[in-house]
Amino acid sequence: MLMSVAALLLFSGCGTSPQPSGAQTAQSAGSKQEAAGSGVSGKLAFYTSQPEEDVTKLVAAFNKKYPDVKVDSFRSGTEEVTAKIQAENQAGKVQADVLLLADAVTFEGLKKQNLLAAYKSPELSKIPKELVDPDGMYSGTKVMATVLAINTQKVKTPPTSWKALVSAESKDAGIMPSPLYSGAAAYNVGVLTRTDGFGWDYFKGLKANNTSVVKGNGAVLNAVAGGEKSYSMVVDYLVAREKAKGSPVDLIYPSEGVPVITEPIGIMKNSANETAAKAFVDFVLSEDGQKVASDIGYTPIREGVPAPKGLKSISEFKVISSDIAKLTEARDEDKKQFTQLFGQ
C-alpha cells in the first residue's frame, strides 16, 4: 500500500555540553579545545554499511571538528554488521560505540534486545519527527529510495513501472541485491511482499525471469553500468553518482512508488566512549554533517539542506511502506522464504 512518510519509519538521538575549563592557562587551552571539538577525545568504534569511500569522507569531516577522536570503522552489509554485533553480544561485550546501518527494522530489532542507548540530540529539532524513534534510540540520517536503474545503451525506452523487471524485455537481463546481505534489500522484500500488486508473486516473477541476485547494491550497479545487465533494483544515490561520472545508466522512480530507508544512526548501550558517540551523532545530524552527506551524493534528511543533483527529495515521489513492527517481526521469515525461492 502507499503510505505517507510519517507512517514509514521510526527513529532518534541528546547533546553533551562542553566541559568548563579551570584556571587562566587552562581557560586558554580550553578555548582552543572548544574550537577543535570541545575536548572530546579517545577512541570511537563505528560500525556501518556505508561504502568504504563514503565512510572515509564522513570520518574525515568529523575529525576536522573533533581531531582528538580516533575513529575505528568496521563496514560491511547491514546483515553482516548485525551478525557481528550479535556474535559480540553473545561473547559478552558489543565492541561498537555507534551504528549507522540501512533501515529502521534493523534498529527496531536491536532496540527489542535492549542493545541501544537512548539519546536525543539537540540537532533533532531540524529532523522530521516521524523519522525519529520516539524513545530516542535512533534517528534517520538521509533518504535513500530503491529505484529502477537501466543501462541506457541497452534500454532505449525507459520503463515507468516495476513491472519492467518481470517483463519479457528484461528476461535474463535483470539484477538485484540480496536481502541476506543488504539491509535495504531486506527492507524491500518485506515491504513489497506486503504491498497490493506485488506480494510474493512479484518475486516469483523475478525468479521466473531469471533475475540475478548478488551480494550488495554496489555489485548490482556495477553490473548495469558495465553492460552485463540492463535492468536493476538498486538504491538511488549509487545510480546518480555513477551517471554523474558519465556511465551509461539512468534511474527511474516507478509510478507505483518506491521503498525508502533512512539509514538510521544510534549509540550502543554501554558504549566505551559515550561522549564521543554523542558528538558523532550530533555531527551527522547537524547542518555541516548533512551537507557532507549531500556532497557525497545522498539526499539529506535535515530540513533546509537540498538533495544533490540527480536525486529527488522525498516530497517528489510516492513512497511504498509497511508497518515497521510487522516488518521487524517477519524479517527472518522473509529472508528464509526468499532463500527458498531463489536458492541462495
Side-chain angles (χ1 to χ4, degrees):
M1 64 184 156
L2 293 175
M3 300 175 66
S4 69
V5 121
L8 171 63
L9 300 167
L10 308 165
F11 300 84
S12 148
C14 290
T16 51
S17 302
Q19 294 182 356
S21 1
Q24 190 76 18
T25 51
Q27 267 186 349
S28 174
S31 297
K32 291 177 182 178
Q33 281 183 334
E34 192 166 307
S38 304
V40 180
S41 62
K43 291 183 179 180
L44 184 73
F46 175 43
Y47 286 16
T48 182
S49 59
Q50 279 196 324
E52 194 70 49
E53 180 183 353
D54 299 351
V55 175
T56 300
K57 291 177 180 177
L58 174 60
V59 171
F62 171 75
N63 278 147
K64 283 186 178 180
K65 185 171 184 179
Y66 299 98
D68 296 327
V69 179
K70 184 180 185 304
V71 182
D72 293 322
S73 301
F74 171 79
R75 70 114 358 239
S76 189
T78 290
E79 299 304 307
E80 289 191 357
V81 175
T82 304
K84 179 176 172 64
I85 291 169
Q86 298 299 344
E88 291 177 352
N89 186 46
Q90 288 180 7
K93 171 66 174 154
V94 175
Q95 301 300 314
D97 294 303
V98 177
L99 300 181
L100 195 157
L101 301 174
D103 66 321
V105 174
T106 297
F107 279 82
E108 279 296 301
L110 296 171
K111 179 181 174 181
K112 274 184 154 185
Q113 289 184 266
N114 197 29
L115 291 177
L116 300 175
Y119 174 60
K120 292 185 177 178
S121 170
E123 302 295 341
L124 290 176
S125 62
K126 295 294 185 179
I127 308 299
K129 64 181 181 179
E130 61 268 20
L131 305 181
V132 175
D133 173 52
D135 296 321
M137 300 298 179
Y138 58 96
S139 169
T141 65
K142 54 186 67 74
V143 176
M144 296 164 61
T146 289
V147 296
L148 271 173
I150 57 171
N151 181 296
T152 54
Q153 293 177 339
K154 296 196 169 189
V155 181
K156 299 306 180 184
T157 304
T160 59
S161 168
W162 286 113
K163 292 177 182 177
L165 289 177
V166 294
S167 68
E169 289 76 13
S170 64
K171 178 77 172 177
D172 302 321
I175 189 169
M176 65 181 177
S178 170
L180 308 184
Y181 178 81
S182 164
Y187 181 79
N188 296 339
V189 171
V191 169
L192 292 176
T193 56
R194 289 166 179 80
T195 299
D196 291 345
F198 291 91
W200 281 107
D201 283 345
Y202 183 73
F203 285 88
K204 289 175 182 176
L206 293 173
K207 173 63 176 176
N209 228 22
N210 201 26
T211 302
S212 296
V213 179
V214 292
K215 202 170 185 182
N217 283 276
V220 169
L221 196 276
N222 288 340
V224 176
E228 179 187 340
K229 297 291 181 179
S230 304
Y231 300 81
S232 67
M233 181 185 291
V234 67
V235 289
D236 58 356
Y237 77 92
L238 287 177
V239 191
R241 185 181 297 180
E242 197 65 22
K243 181 179 178 180
K245 293 177 182 177
S247 292
V249 294
D250 205 358
L251 67 157
I252 298 106
Y253 294 85
S255 58
E256 299 96 334
V258 293
V260 170
I261 58 172
T262 59
E263 204 165 54
I265 193 168
I267 298 173
M268 298 305 298
K269 194 172 184 179
N270 302 320
S271 163
N273 193 345
E274 189 176 280
T275 300
K278 289 178 177 180
F280 194 86
V281 170
D282 291 346
F283 176 75
V284 169
L285 298 176
S286 71
E287 184 174 1
D288 285 346
Q290 290 287 288
K291 285 179 178 178
V292 170
S294 181
D295 288 344
I296 291 173
Y298 297 107
T299 300
I301 203 167
R302 186 183 175 100
E303 296 169 0
V305 183
K309 184 179 179 180
L311 293 177
K312 292 184 178 182
S313 64
I314 200 164
S315 62
E316 297 178 285
F317 53 77
K318 293 180 181 178
V319 175
I320 302 174
S321 63
S322 190
D323 181 79
I324 290 294
K326 290 179 180 177
L327 293 179
T328 303
E329 183 180 345
R331 174 156 289 191
D332 287 344
E333 182 57 35
D334 286 345
K335 289 193 290 186
K336 181 180 177 182
Q337 207 162 332
F338 184 92
T339 300
Q340 290 173 344
L341 178 58
F342 283 88
Q344 289 217 315

